[in-house]
């Protein structure tokens, strides 16, 4: 039976952590664990969620959880899955929560290896579009035009890597993009992924008030608007087929979406004539 | 090594899961995940591969996962070289692993069996790196006694992961951040477990002797050192040749001895002090150099006894001859000191 936000598990599996007010990533983790329940084993590399959730003695996960090297999310998941299976245990779900840098940059090789092996794992990338934990440096998933501390004036000159296309090309069994602004869609995709034996990848947009420059009570609204204006899409890939889950309802408002965020404000002298080239 | 293990797994003679990884970093990461899941794990590597997984070494050690890994000691780039020396593992002495160095193929096999028992002891719980000389031991053939399953069962009990495993009845966080107020307490416990490993090594070797009749001697293997005036300290496969040279020097009246280091972590400081306390002069021969300093083995030994001469040889697979070893004893007799290159 399809789960909705209303009948989510009342128990909390990720709480008491140190995430910033308005953090989109912590909402993505919290909701995913409510769907997956106590048989989930969480695996987190260096990044925002490990930095806020694993501060001894204040440990924020109530299920089994492990912190991994930055590049090793998928390979540690592989080992846990194989080890538990070797012990004769089969009712569990190894789930990874890695940020955009940990996924699209440093962790890409290990993720490719896990997809290649067809390991039965669920990899969730919470995408806040830069290395937020270490001070808002540009990642491979920072969008075109977004300022970060390493693209300080002109904004990123590169478009986001298309992670869904990358994992699809690697032969992933199920891939989906989601947004914390469309929670029921996200919940449905986690539930669906958990029911599939194979390598599953969910990429969830998780806005960051600190890094993006918006008020802490706007996180969910921004995450929703990103989909509505077409800055982010809700897609699914399964059995070699792509599906768009939602048409952008107001693509004409892309500029409004960008104007709400400090990261897209480029001073006049740094604006280039061929802005947004390639779009 | 992994190729033969793949055969064992595919033909069903080894009940294990073989994980194909795309890198050494992932190899040790997967081993760590499997160890966390509560099963016995093994991997193997060499040279740049060991360095590529260096980051994961400290995770596995600090997480106290009793992984056993064989490392084929091979040279490091640049210049690129596929032959043996010990710069790979010696550069990672501080990663928190037990490090043992074998002299021959039989000792590699025996050490690996004992490594599981030592690493998995509840009072130790530290990963174990068995080192063997690249090429000299990895690409040559030796006849070895292969133990029976019954023999192995006598020295290696069924795996007991203890508390450090995923438990759905009692879920926990297994790795975490520890700030300044907690950090040292974890490292001190790790250090003390390493020191305690000597007791466990001793017991493992006694049991091993009872089952197989072969006696190993803990941290060091001393040869004609009791009355030796000149002692050459070394490790690995070159030790046999050193002993031969010591024998022939003895025939000509030189009181020569050889001290082979079997373990570098934990460091056998008491055993070294005991053996070398009466030696007149000590040299260290090693296939390693800490550039701008001296050989790492020398630096360690000199922290215990006033070793004077450090001879660097065998880098990138260079031969070390009996004549060169005899020359080291001559240098000792002549009172030479410092770092010398063969």
């Amino acid at each position: 039976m399809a789960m909705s936000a209303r009948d989510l598990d009342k128990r909390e599996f990720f709480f008491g952590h140190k995430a910033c007010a308005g953090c989109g990533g912590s909402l993505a983790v919290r909701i995913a664990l409510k769907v997956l329940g106590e048989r989930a084993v969480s695996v987190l590399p260096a990044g925002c969620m490990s930095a806020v959730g694993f501060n001894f003695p204040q440990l924020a996960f109530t299920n089994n959880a492990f912190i991994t090297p930055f590049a090793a999310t998928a390979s540690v998941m592989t080992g846990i899955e194989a080890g538990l299976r070797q012990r004769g245990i089969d009712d569990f779900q190894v789930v990874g929560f890695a940020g955009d840098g940990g996924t699209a940059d440093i962790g890409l090789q290990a993720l490719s290896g896990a997809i290649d092996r067809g390991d039965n794992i669920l990899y969730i990338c919470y995408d806040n579009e830069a290395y937020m934990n270490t001070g808002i440096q540009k990642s491979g998933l920072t969008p075109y035009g977004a300022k970060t501390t390493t693209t300080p004036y002109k904004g990123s000159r590169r478009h986001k890597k298309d992670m869904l296309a990358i994992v699809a090309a690697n032969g992933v069994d199920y891939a989906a993009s989601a947004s914390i602004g469309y929670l029921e869609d996200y919940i449905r995709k986690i539930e669906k992924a958990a029911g599939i034996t194979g390598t599953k990848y969910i990429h969830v947009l998780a806005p960051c008030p600190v890094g993006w420059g918006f008020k802490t009570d706007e996180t969910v609204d921004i995450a929703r608007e990103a989909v509505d204006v077409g800055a982010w899409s809700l897609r699914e890939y399964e059995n070699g087929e792509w599906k768009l889950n939602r048409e952008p309802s107001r693509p004409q408002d892309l500029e409004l979406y960008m104007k709400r965020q400090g990261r897209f404000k480029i001073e006049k002298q740094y604006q280039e004539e061929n802005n947004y080239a390639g779009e | 090594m992994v190729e033969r293990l793949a055969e064992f797994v595919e033909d069903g003679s080894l009940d294990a899961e073989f994980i194909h990884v795309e890198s050494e970093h992932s190899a040790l990461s997967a081993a760590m995940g499997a160890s966390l899941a509560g099963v016995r794990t093994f991997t193997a590597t060499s040279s740049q591969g060991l360095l590529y997984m260096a980051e994961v070494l400290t995770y596995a050690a600090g997480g106290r996962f009793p992984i056993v890994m064989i490392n084929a000691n091979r040279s490091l780039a640049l210049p690129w070289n596929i032959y043996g020396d010990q710069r790979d593992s010696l550069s990672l002495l501080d990663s928190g692993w037990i490090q043992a160095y074998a002299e021959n193929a039989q000792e590699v096999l025996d050490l690996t069996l004992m490594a599981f028992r030592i690493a998995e002891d509840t009072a130790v719980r530290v990963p174990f790196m068995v080192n063997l000389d690249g090429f000299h031991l990895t690409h040559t053939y030796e006849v070895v006694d292969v133990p029976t399953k019954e023999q192995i069962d006598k020295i290696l009990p069924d795996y007991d992961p203890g508390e450090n495993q995923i438990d759905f009845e009692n879920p926990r966080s297994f790795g975490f951040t520890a700030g300044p107020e907690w950090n040292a307490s974890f490292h001190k416990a790790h250090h003390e477990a390493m020191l305690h490993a000597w007791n466990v090594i001793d017991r493992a070797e006694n049991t091993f002797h009872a089952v197989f009749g072969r006696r190993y001697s803990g941290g060091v293997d001393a040869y004609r050192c009791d009355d030796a005036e000149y002692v050459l300290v070394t490790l690995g496969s070159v030790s046999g040749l050193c002993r031969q040279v010591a024998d022939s020097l003895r025939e000509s009246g030189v009181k020569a001895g050889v001290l082979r280091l079997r373990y570098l972590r934990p460091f056998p400081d008491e055993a070294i002090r005991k053996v070398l306390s009466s030696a007149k002069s000590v040299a260290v021969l090693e296939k390693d150099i800490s550039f701008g300093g001296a050989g790492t083995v020398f630096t360690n030994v000199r922290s215990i006894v006033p070793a004077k001469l450090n001879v660097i040889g065998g880098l990138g697979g260079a031969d070390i001859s009996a004549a060169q070893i005899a020359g080291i004893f001559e240098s000792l007799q002549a009172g030479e000191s410092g770092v010398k290159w063969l």
Side-chain angles (χ1 to χ4, degrees):
Chain A
M1 192 191 74
M3 208 180 268
S4 76
R6 246 178 271 281
D7 49 40
L8 269 180
D9 201 325
K10 295 286 179 284
R11 292 174 297 172
E12 298 294 341
F13 297 94
F14 181 51
F15 65 99
H17 52 72
K18 304 199 307 179
C20 311
C23 172
S26 60
L27 183 61
V29 173
R30 177 178 168 231
I31 297 300
L33 289 176
K34 279 173 173 282
V35 177
L36 298 170
E38 72 273 11
R39 302 294 290 186
V41 178
S42 301
V43 176
L44 295 97
C48 287
M49 290 308 108
S50 54
V52 306
F54 281 121
N55 292 283
F56 183 85
Q58 190 176 334
L59 302 169
F61 290 93
T62 62
N63 55 353
N64 289 291
F66 186 55
I67 196 167
T68 81
F70 207 172
T73 317
S75 44
V76 168
M77 291 166 79
T78 293
I80 293 173
E81 195 275 336
L84 289 175
R85 196 155 31 78
Q86 187 71 12
R87 277 173 63 194
I89 300 170
D90 52 15
D91 56 332
F92 62 89
Q93 177 64 63
V94 181
V95 58
F97 297 105
D100 43 292
T103 300
D105 295 343
I106 194 169
L108 190 55
Q109 174 179 313
L111 175 57
S112 175
I115 297 170
D116 179 42
R117 288 184 294 270
D119 294 330
N120 186 22
I121 57 172
L122 169 55
Y123 189 111
I124 297 179
C125 170
Y126 61 94
D127 182 4
N128 51 29
E129 302 197 320
Y131 290 89
M132 298 312 185
N133 175 48
T134 51
I136 321 173
Q137 294 86 359
K138 181 200 175 301
S139 81
L141 294 181
T142 300
Y144 189 97
K147 284 192 294 187
T148 65
T149 54
T150 52
T151 52
Y153 303 122
K154 297 180 179 177
S156 173
R157 302 284 88 193
R158 304 289 297 171
H159 291 284
K160 285 169 81 78
K161 287 187 193 177
D162 187 347
M163 274 305 301
L164 248 54
I166 289 171
V167 296
N170 274 260
V172 79
D173 293 292
Y174 174 75
S177 57
S179 163
I180 58 158
Y182 282 96
L183 220 46
E184 303 226 341
D185 174 77
Y186 178 49
I187 290 166
R188 179 183 69 77
K189 286 168 175 169
I190 294 166
E191 211 183 1
K192 183 172 182 179
I196 295 170
T197 302
T199 315
K200 292 88 63 174
Y201 177 86
I202 293 177
H203 192 123
V204 57
L205 187 70
C208 166
V210 181
W212 293 19
F214 60 80
K215 289 187 194 140
T216 55
D217 61 357
E218 294 180 322
T219 307
V220 173
D221 193 48
I222 292 255
R224 202 172 174 88
E225 191 166 77
V227 176
D228 294 343
V229 302
W232 184 244
S233 63
L234 306 183
R235 289 182 285 162
E236 268 178 307
Y237 174 82
E238 199 178 2
N239 302 321
E241 300 285 327
W242 289 96
K243 192 193 288 178
L244 183 66
N245 303 115
R246 190 178 184 87
E247 291 286 342
S249 54
R250 44 189 189 92
Q252 71 278 8
D253 290 339
L254 177 62
E255 199 172 333
L256 288 179
Y257 166 77
M258 295 178 73
K259 279 186 171 166
R260 291 177 72 182
Q261 303 173 43
R263 61 177 175 159
F264 291 117
K265 289 187 176 63
I266 308 294
E267 297 294 327
K268 188 105 187 146
Q269 71 263 37
Y270 296 114
Q271 289 177 4
E272 294 184 357
E273 283 180 15
N274 62 343
N275 232 351
Y276 310 112
E279 282 294 277
Chain B
M1 210 171 296
V2 295
E3 297 84 351
R4 185 56 58 91
L5 285 169
E7 289 172 19
F8 290 162
V9 173
E10 288 206 359
D11 72 16
S13 55
L14 180 64
D15 176 19
E17 170 101 6
F18 187 104
I19 301 175
H20 299 263
V21 286
E22 82 295 337
S23 74
E24 290 84 356
H25 193 283
S26 284
L28 190 53
S29 295
M32 185 164 66
S35 186
L36 171 66
V39 296
R40 184 172 276 154
T41 59
F42 172 86
T43 188
T45 190
S46 183
S47 182
Q48 303 294 141
L50 181 68
L51 265 62
Y52 193 44
M53 63 168 64
E55 178 199 21
V56 194
L57 291 179
T58 70
Y59 268 84
R64 308 292 295 276
F65 297 113
I67 299 162
V68 173
M69 175 164 72
I70 291 184
N71 177 55
N73 287 125
R74 279 177 33 217
S75 191
L76 298 176
L78 277 169
W80 211 48
N81 180 296
I82 59 166
Y83 299 104
D85 67 37
Q86 290 150 343
R87 288 171 55 215
D88 53 2
S89 57
L90 289 174
S91 74
L92 290 163
L93 269 186
D94 295 344
S95 60
W97 285 54
I98 293 173
Q99 279 201 13
Y101 290 77
E103 181 181 344
N104 53 47
Q106 186 70 58
E107 192 179 15
V108 174
L109 177 57
D110 296 349
L111 259 177
T112 305
L113 286 179
M114 282 188 273
F116 283 107
R117 174 168 167 147
I118 295 158
E120 292 169 7
D121 190 286
T122 50
V124 180
R125 292 278 151 184
V126 172
F128 196 121
M129 189 190 301
V130 177
N131 290 284
L132 70 156
D133 281 311
F135 186 77
H136 291 102
L137 296 183
T138 58
H139 287 65
T140 54
Y141 286 91
E142 277 180 63
V143 175
V144 295
D145 282 334
V146 177
T148 64
K149 186 171 185 308
E150 290 68 34
Q151 285 174 313
I152 291 174
D153 287 343
K154 284 180 188 160
I155 68 154
L156 191 58
D158 284 344
Y159 185 60
D160 172 16
E163 291 182 357
N164 205 17
Q165 67 163 325
I166 289 170
D167 179 356
F168 290 104
E169 302 305 314
N170 180 29
R172 288 162 52 202
S173 288
F174 291 93
F176 37 71
T177 305
E181 69 275 42
W182 294 99
N183 205 277
S185 60
F186 289 100
H187 297 316
K188 186 161 178 281
H190 183 169
H191 175 66
E192 285 167 356
M194 290 280 264
L195 297 181
H196 180 78
W198 287 128
N199 300 326
V200 180
I201 291 167
D202 193 44
R203 287 203 302 272
E205 288 178 345
N206 284 337
T207 309
F208 191 89
H209 177 246
V211 176
F212 293 97
R214 285 192 292 281
R215 163 70 69 187
Y216 288 100
S217 54
V220 302
D221 176 11
Y223 183 74
R224 301 186 86 160
C225 286
D226 288 349
D227 64 338
E229 293 183 346
Y230 306 103
V231 177
L232 179 56
V233 179
T234 192
L235 65 167
S237 60
V238 76
S239 306
L241 188 60
C242 294
R243 287 196 294 268
Q244 271 186 33
V245 172
D247 282 344
S248 48
L249 288 173
R250 285 268 175 178
E251 282 171 20
S252 54
V254 180
K255 288 187 174 177
V258 174
L259 181 66
R260 177 171 76 93
L261 304 183
R262 297 185 67 242
Y263 283 83
L264 282 188
R265 289 294 181 275
F267 189 57
D269 47 3
E270 281 177 28
I272 291 172
R273 188 180 293 115
K274 198 172 151 205
V275 174
L276 295 181
S277 58
S278 57
K280 190 186 280 182
S281 193
V282 174
V284 175
L285 168 64
E286 61 190 295
K287 301 172 179 178
D288 166 68
I289 177 70
S290 176
F291 301 106
T296 295
V297 181
F298 178 73
T299 308
N300 277 263
V301 170
R302 201 170 50 171
S303 72
I304 305 301
V305 294
K308 283 186 182 148
L309 182 62
N310 184 201
V311 180
I312 311 299
L315 295 185
D319 277 341
I320 298 174
S321 68
Q324 286 174 319
I325 294 167
I328 297 171
F329 281 105
E330 281 167 25
S331 298
L332 274 184
Q333 288 171 280
E336 289 181 25
S337 62
V339 177
K340 301 220 180 276
W341 293 67
L342 280 187

